[in-house]
Amino acid sequence: RHASRMADTAYEAKVETRWLESARMERKLTAILSADVAGYSRLVEDDDEATIHTLTTYRQLMRERIDAHHGRVVDAPGDNLRAEFAGVVDAVRCAGESQEARRGRNIAREPARQMHFRMGINVGDVVIEDGHLYGDGVNIAARLEGLAEPGGICISGNAYEQVENKLDIDFE
């Protein structure tokens, strides 16, 4: 009987500790944009210096668009860029303008050297730690990015519900 009471106490303590740890994590609902270069490995293999130069230039264009739409770059590992926005309308506008700006710059490049980004946008709950975003909201945006065509944007159903009557964009 005494051992049973100790086991119950230990279980209660574990639950309490787990709750306290999760209570310290900051969470918020945000719009996440995830962007990735289609065919990046091929571009690097062909000419790594030119690819890195182009990537740096295009990322700067994206950062300017992100700032203009009240977003924040959260992370930019390798050829990926993640940004957050307070509203999904700003995220979609930013993505559309960024893709359009790159299309104009790509025209001057030979087809094999053109750099096309795929973008995914989701609205979801995220955990914030040290300025980085984690959780399903981010993971879904990254999966949507993988579904987008090179030069395209793929948005989640909940993002679409927020923008369908607010933007003059054709969705498929």
Side-chain angles (χ1 to χ4, degrees):
R1 187 173 183 166
H2 179 71
S4 173
R5 193 170 358 140
M6 283 179 55
D8 288 344
T9 304
Y11 174 75
E12 289 172 12
K14 279 185 181 175
V15 170
E16 182 67 20
T17 301
R18 190 175 332 130
W19 180 82
L20 288 173
E21 287 172 3
S22 68
R24 283 184 267 183
M25 295 278 182
E26 182 183 351
R27 293 182 166 274
K28 69 177 175 180
L29 185 65
T30 192
I32 303 109
L33 181 150
S34 183
D36 182 74
V37 177
Y40 183 73
S41 295
R42 178 192 56 78
L43 290 167
V44 168
E45 186 177 304
D46 185 44
D47 186 340
D48 57 355
E49 290 182 7
T51 299
I52 292 166
H53 176 73
T54 302
L55 177 63
T56 302
T57 300
Y58 284 4
R59 271 194 178 159
Q60 184 57 40
L61 288 171
M62 268 184 79
R63 287 178 190 274
E64 291 168 6
R65 298 300 347 127
I66 290 166
D67 289 345
H69 289 284
H70 317 290
R72 172 180 84 91
V73 174
V74 176
D75 204 1
D79 64 320
N80 188 275
L81 184 140
R82 287 187 197 97
E84 73 165 326
F85 298 82
V88 71
V89 170
D90 282 335
V92 173
R93 281 184 178 143
C94 174
E97 289 177 13
S98 294
Q99 294 290 48
E100 192 59 36
R102 262 188 303 286
R103 276 187 203 100
R105 289 189 175 238
N106 272 335
I107 290 171
R109 299 182 185 283
E110 61 183 82
R113 296 301 310 155
Q114 292 181 358
M115 188 173 284
H116 302 282
F117 280 75
R118 297 174 303 188
M119 296 186 180
I121 298 173
N122 183 43
V123 176
D125 185 57
V126 297
V127 174
I128 306 155
E129 184 162 334
D130 294 330
H132 295 283
L133 303 181
Y134 301 94
D136 286 342
V138 176
N139 295 340
I140 292 169
R143 288 185 191 120
L144 291 168
E145 162 211 297
L147 296 173
E149 295 291 324
I153 305 163
C154 185
I155 67 173
S156 65
N158 60 358
Y160 175 76
E161 290 172 3
Q162 299 297 314
V163 300
E164 69 178 313
N165 295 321
K166 295 180 177 99
L167 297 174
D168 187 24
I169 296 176
D170 293 326
F171 294 96
E172 294 177 14

